[in-house]
Structure formats: C-alpha cells, structure tokens
Amino acid sequence: MPNQYDVIVIGAGNGGLATAAFTAKNGLKTLLVEKHNIPGGSATSFVRGRFEFETSLHELCTLGTKENPGGIMKFFDMLGVDLEIATSMDHTFRLIVPSEGIDADMPCGPREFIGKLEQLVPGSAPSMMQVAKYGGMAAEAYSFMDSPEFSIEAMNERYPDFFRLAGHSVTEVLDELGMPKAAQNIITTYWGYLGAPPSELDFLIYARMLMGYIVYGAGMTRMRSHELSMALEKVIRDCGGQIWYNSEAEEILVKDGKACGVVIGGKEYLAKHVVSNSHPNMVYGSMIDPEQVPEGAFKLSNSRDIGALFTTVYLGMNRTPQELGIDSYSYFIAPSSDPEVQYRGACNTRDFPNYVIMNCLNNVIPDCTPEGTCQLFFTTLYFGHGWDDVTPEEYAKIKNETAEKIIDCAEKSLGLNLRPYIEEIVVATPVTFARYLNSPAGTPYGYQAHPWDSFIQRNLTKKDESFIGNLYFAGAGTRRGDGYSSAYLSGLDAGQEVVRAERQKGGIER
Ligand SMILES: Cc1cc2nc3c(=O)[nH]c(=O)nc-3n(C[C@H](O)[C@H](O)[C@H](O)COP(=O)(O)OP(=O)(O)OC[C@H]3O[C@@H](n4cnc5c(N)ncnc54)[C@H](O)[C@@H]3O)c2cc1C
C-alpha cells in the first residue's frame, strides 16, 4: 500500500534524523516528515549577507577523535557517516566574572584541567581528581544501563559508587568531597548546558558531561551543524527512506490504545510505529484526540518543568578576531561566579540576566567567514514564564533592547569595541524558537532536570512512560534530556526499539 509505512518519524531535528537513519538502515520502510524545508531543527545554519551563521551548536560533546572515539563519533561511524570535524579545541571554557576579578581559562585534558584549577584555587586538586574518577565511572555505568546484561544487582556489583551517588545533586557531592566553593563555581560553569543549577542537577550526569569535554575535547563540524543534519539526511535517502519537507504532521492517529499513523495535509498515512521528535507536551496536548490520551500522560507532562529558553544574538563582524581582541572560542560571562545566583537571575524574567555565553567560531574554524571578518554568537538563558506575556506591540522593542544589553555586557566585561564593526545582526528570542521548533515556550531543551526527575530516574521508570502503544519519542524531551549528543542517542534509542519490535514480529529478515 503506498500510504503504509513501517515507521513514520515526525520532525527532522537531531532525534528524528537519528531514528529515521537507523530504521532506514535496518531495512524498515521509513518516512520522515518535517514542517520546514530543511532538516536539523536547532541543528542548522542560516545566511545573512556574506555570513553563514551557526544557529545553535557551541560544542559537540563526547566526540573524541578517530583514534579515541567518544560515543557520538561511534554513533556516526555506525551509520557510516563521514564528517569533517574540527576538534582543535584545546580549551574547555573561559569564565569571566568582572565583579570578582575572575578570568579562568580552563584547558582540555584531565591533568591540565586539574592543574589549572589547583593553580586558581589551591587545595582543589584532590576533590577534582575524585570528580574525574566519578565522571569516568558514570560514563561506563550509563552505557551498561543500556546493555542486555543490565540488572540493578549487576550494576551495583560493577559500579558500587553509582547508586550511592545517584540522585544526589552536584552541590551535595562537591560539598561532601570538600571542594572549595571557588573551585565549585569554576567547574560548574557548564551548568547552563544541562539547563539546571548545580543544586538541582544530578551529579553523575554533570560529572560525565564535564569529563566528556575535558577528556575527549569538543568538536565542531566545518560547515556548521547543518553539515551534521545533511549527513544524516543522506544516510536516510541512501538507505531508501523517504523525507518529506514542508509537511507538518497535524495529528497522530490512535486506535485501540496504539498509534497507527499520522495526518498530513488532511490525509491519513498509516504506520506500524510512530516516532515523535515533536515535544511530548505538543503531542499529548494537541496532536492526539484527547479521548485517546491516558490521564497519566497529561499528569506527567504537566508535572515537569519546561526546559531552558534562549535569546541569541548573531553578529557578522567586518574585522578579524585578532583585530577585535578576541582570542578564545568560548567565554562564559557572569554577574557572579555563583551558578545559583546566575540561575535565579534568569528565572521568570524577560530582562537580560547578565549571564551570557559568547562564541567566536573563527577561533576553531578560521575560514568559516570571508577573509577579514568573523562571526560571533551570544546566548543567554531563561527559565520559567518571563516571556509568556510579551505582546506583539512590545516584542520588537524588548528583543532589540535585550540584544543591546548583551552586546554592552560583552564589550564592558571583555574590554572590546564591537559596535562599529557589526556588518550583520540577527536576534532570536524564545518566541523565534517556539515558532521554528514547535516546542512549548520555544524550549530546545525538553524538560528541566531535577533530582527527582533526571536521566537515572527517567531511565528506571521508562516503561511506565509508554502511555500509547507503538508511539515513541526522540529528542530533547526524552529521558536523555537536552543537547546534540543526547538528542542523537535518544533517536537511536527509539530506532532500536522499533527495529527490535519488528524483529520480534519477524518483520525484518536480518
Ligand atoms: C541557541 C542554542 C544553543 C545550543 N547550544 C548547544 C550546544 O552547544 N551543544 C549541544 O549539545 N546542544 C546545544 N543546544 C541544544 C540542542 O540544539 C537541542 O537540545 C537539540 O538539537 C534538540 O534536538 P531535538 O531532537 O529535540 O529536535 P529539535 O531541534 O527540537 O527539532 C524538532 C524538529 O521537529 C520539527 N517538528 C516539530 N513538530 C512537527 C510536526 N508536527 N510536524 C513536522 N515537523 C515537526 C521541527 O520543525 C524541528 O525541525 C542549543 C540550542 C540552542 C537553540
């Protein structure tokens, strides 16, 4: 039947692309539908004037090198994707707190990172070594959780520290390890990447991510994240999968408690499995007949906090980074070194919280803009409902004022003179992301992580979250949470579940 698929995937974000690549590669008749005319969701690029801007990616985590591959490199290798990735980042982050005189430029490599931390905060090395050890253990333990040998007993035997630490926050564990507060503030600089402050963030998840950046370094595709999305798109097409752009899935069809197809342009397309890269709140709230949605699905979605929101400013500069005096790739500029203060300042406000990440892509990929120019990318975070009541009349003013404040902050904190050299400027707010990604309030981060609801807890209860048969989720709104790596792996999880189900039914021969 022409309108009958093994699997229909809704949304070509990182999660959806990963699922469709995996199911197509495994011989399933796969249809991927995307409401825009290009793939990627957050993982894309856009052109203004003579600049091709990176939309979202600061750093691809757990990448590694061909010789020492991390989880994401293995994922691309498994799909046969060959990418040209710049991995020349020898630094992790540079934390700048003008009010406290802090300029912490932290290197990659465990020994180098620990050495630098000790130099900045004497006495911090022993506790940082322990964090490194736990981070390595967490990475292994998480992989084991997904292996066929996994059981609670086996986990406990192999990784006795895992359940001792699981569920404890970053702050609790670092305090227990006796890490000086000043060192804690430095090593938790990446909290924004996981969208929750250290007091709310699961220690093992943070330690694993931090060590991923320190041990494997980070990477960036030469042609922006759009190259990643196009590479996955190619796998899908090469393996016989179909991709329909400009195609919004309006409804997921459910019969007898099982997903059985989608409606696109008023027409029904049937499938044995439906995978949604659209956020669960959108799916349960507006894409399925309410009569067919179990009460538990509504309750769970409503009990979770929507993930972080962003305002980003993209600048095309008619000067080189050297001429502008920008020598690092990734600056974290904050009003206070205390991440809890940074977080509180970003809650329920639409004002600029004075916390901003500034990236200069040319310091990793020198030729990413025409000669004599460079591109800068500023990101600030929000949590909660600050942007909910912005009216159309005041929107442009608020957006422009926010951009002005962000540029001011970078100029003052880093002693730069940027304004005279701006050739292109683009500003995206939570409203822009909501419109583009179709996610609640515009979050690209799924749900906020809390100690009661983080990867470990979601992993152990994942079966209880399967409310509708043959319906799966991929992307930041799943158990793995936000970020490129997590979204790809969540897509792989969904693809594997579908392939497993088809194998059990005898639907796939190999
Ligand atoms: C400014 C910014 C900076 C970031 N920096 C980093 C970083 O440095 N490192 C990192 O790891 N992560 C970063 N992230 C987060 C990361 O980009 C996201 O967490 C991740 O890409 C989410 O992927 P996803 O699979 O959830 O899909 P999404 O990106 O949310 O895409 C979903 C796709 O589904 C489509 N869709 C939705 N509904 C429908 C429908 N009904 N029918 C058809 N199509 C539909 C949308 O159009 C979209 O293409 C950043 C994000 C932003 C915005």
Side-chain angles (χ1 to χ4, degrees):
M1 278 196 289
N3 284 353
Q4 171 88 49
Y5 293 86
D6 290 326
V7 54
I8 296 180
V9 181
I10 301 169
N14 289 336
L17 285 165
T19 301
F22 188 79
T23 54
K25 202 170 174 65
N26 279 277
L28 295 186
K29 188 174 174 192
T30 301
L31 170 64
L32 172 62
V33 296
E34 165 57 51
K35 75 185 178 97
H36 293 291
N37 57 353
I38 46 168
S42 294
T44 184
S45 67
F46 63 92
V47 174
R48 288 290 184 285
R50 45 184 187 148
F51 297 90
E52 182 181 349
F53 289 101
E54 168 57 45
T55 313
S56 65
L57 184 59
H58 301 96
E59 309 176 76
L60 199 52
C61 183
T62 58
L63 187 63
T65 58
K66 290 275 174 218
E67 300 71 43
N68 181 25
I72 286 304
M73 185 79 82
K74 288 181 191 160
F75 163 73
F76 285 121
D77 282 349
M78 180 264 291
L79 290 172
V81 173
D82 195 15
L83 291 165
E84 209 188 325
I85 291 179
T87 51
S88 53
M89 296 184 196
D90 50 4
H91 279 62
T92 51
F93 56 82
R94 186 162 169 183
L95 173 66
I96 309 270
V97 187
S99 63
E100 297 170 30
I102 294 175
D103 180 351
D105 197 359
M106 302 306 289
C108 285
R111 187 177 306 177
E112 292 79 0
F113 189 96
I114 293 169
K116 183 70 192 270
L117 192 66
E118 177 65 24
Q119 188 193 326
L120 292 168
V121 188
S124 58
S127 50
M128 186 57 216
M129 280 184 216
Q130 203 58 36
V131 171
K133 193 181 126 206
Y134 288 145
M137 179 274 289
E140 282 182 32
Y142 283 128
S143 303
F144 181 65
M145 249 175 162
D146 284 333
S147 77
E149 300 103 77
F150 171 76
S151 69
I152 302 276
E153 294 72 30
M155 183 86 160
N156 223 356
E157 209 167 288
R158 281 183 190 218
Y159 308 106
D161 284 331
F162 187 84
F163 285 114
R164 198 169 59 79
L165 295 167
H168 286 289
S169 72
V170 173
T171 309
E172 283 171 332
V173 177
L174 297 185
D175 281 348
E176 189 61 30
L177 292 175
M179 181 176 279
K181 220 43 184 179
Q184 291 192 26
N185 290 347
I186 293 173
I187 76 159
T188 52
T189 293
Y190 276 145
W191 71 268
Y193 280 9
L194 292 178
S199 62
E200 291 283 301
L201 200 51
D202 190 283
F203 168 75
L204 287 172
I205 291 178
Y206 187 77
R208 179 183 66 151
M209 182 190 75
L210 177 66
M211 293 319 293
Y213 280 120
I214 294 174
V215 174
Y216 289 111
M220 192 60 214
T221 31
R222 286 197 55 77
M223 296 311 297
R224 320 304 103 90
S225 54
H226 186 59
E227 184 181 353
L228 290 162
S229 304
M230 291 309 290
L232 290 171
E233 196 220 45
K234 184 170 181 309
V235 174
I236 299 165
R237 291 196 192 281
D238 287 352
C239 295
Q242 292 181 32
I243 306 178
W244 294 356
Y245 291 116
N246 300 313
S247 301
E248 178 162 4
E250 293 138 20
E251 186 184 343
I252 296 176
L253 300 168
V254 177
K255 200 171 165 210
D256 302 329
K258 289 185 177 157
C260 56
V262 302
V263 177
I264 304 163
K267 201 166 161 190
E268 291 188 358
Y269 296 87
L270 302 182
K272 295 181 202 159
H273 306 270
V274 175
V275 178
S276 174
N277 191 198
S278 191
H279 194 285
N281 282 28
M282 306 311 276
V283 168
Y284 295 129
S286 61
M287 290 175 72
I288 301 178
D289 174 359
E291 296 279 302
Q292 302 285 349
V293 180
E295 201 183 339
F298 287 127
K299 282 191 172 163
L300 190 70
S301 317
N302 289 332
S303 70
R304 289 181 164 151
D305 289 326
I306 295 301
L309 314 176
F310 295 92
T311 286
T312 52
V313 179
Y314 309 87
L315 297 184
M317 309 295 294
N318 60 20
R319 287 290 182 279
T320 63
Q322 295 73 30
E323 286 167 338
L324 293 171
I326 298 170
D327 48 11
S328 297
Y329 169 59
S330 194
Y331 297 83
F332 287 70
I333 306 165
S336 153
S337 63
D338 183 345
E340 302 297 328
V341 174
Q342 296 161 18
Y343 172 76
R344 280 199 299 276
C347 285
N348 294 318
T349 178
R350 60 185 180 219
D351 201 4
F352 170 52
N354 293 324
Y355 168 82
V356 66
I357 307 170
M358 179 180 108
N359 293 88
C360 178
L361 189 56
N362 300 68
N363 283 338
V364 181
I365 304 174
D367 59 356
C368 69
T369 58
E371 214 177 311
T373 68
C374 69
Q375 63 171 283
L376 303 177
F377 168 30
F378 302 80
T379 312
T380 194
L381 282 84
Y382 301 94
F383 298 87
H385 302 282
W387 280 80
D388 286 3
D389 60 352
V390 175
T391 62
E393 293 71 34
E394 60 190 357
Y395 175 70
K397 185 169 174 280
I398 291 172
K399 174 173 118 160
N400 293 338
E401 280 173 3
T402 309
E404 292 282 359
K405 286 179 190 166
I406 288 176
I407 296 167
D408 264 350
C409 171
E411 285 193 322
K412 286 196 187 114
S413 309
L414 302 176
L416 304 173
N417 185 20
L418 299 176
R419 280 193 170 77
Y421 310 112
I422 298 173
E423 184 175 314
E424 298 288 345
I425 177 164
V426 177
V427 185
T429 68
V431 179
T432 320
F433 289 112
R435 214 168 137 243
Y436 193 82
L437 300 174
N438 193 29
S439 64
T443 182
Y445 263 34
Y447 297 108
Q448 210 176 309
H450 292 294
W452 63 269
D453 179 36
S454 190
F455 178 72
I456 302 163
Q457 293 78 2
R458 290 178 197 170
N459 204 44
L460 292 173
T461 57
K462 72 178 172 192
K463 283 205 177 75
D464 302 333
E465 294 194 22
S466 180
F467 295 103
I468 294 177
N470 300 344
L471 174 65
Y472 316 78
F473 288 92
T478 67
R479 69 189 170 118
R480 290 187 184 270
D482 68 85
Y484 275 61
S485 309
S486 302
Y488 288 135
L489 294 179
S490 74
L492 183 60
D493 290 342
Q496 284 172 334
E497 274 197 66
V498 170
V499 168
R500 210 176 297 129
E502 280 304 293
R503 284 215 172 109
Q504 274 165 8
K505 284 197 301 191
I508 310 178
E509 280 166 15
R510 55 202 160 96

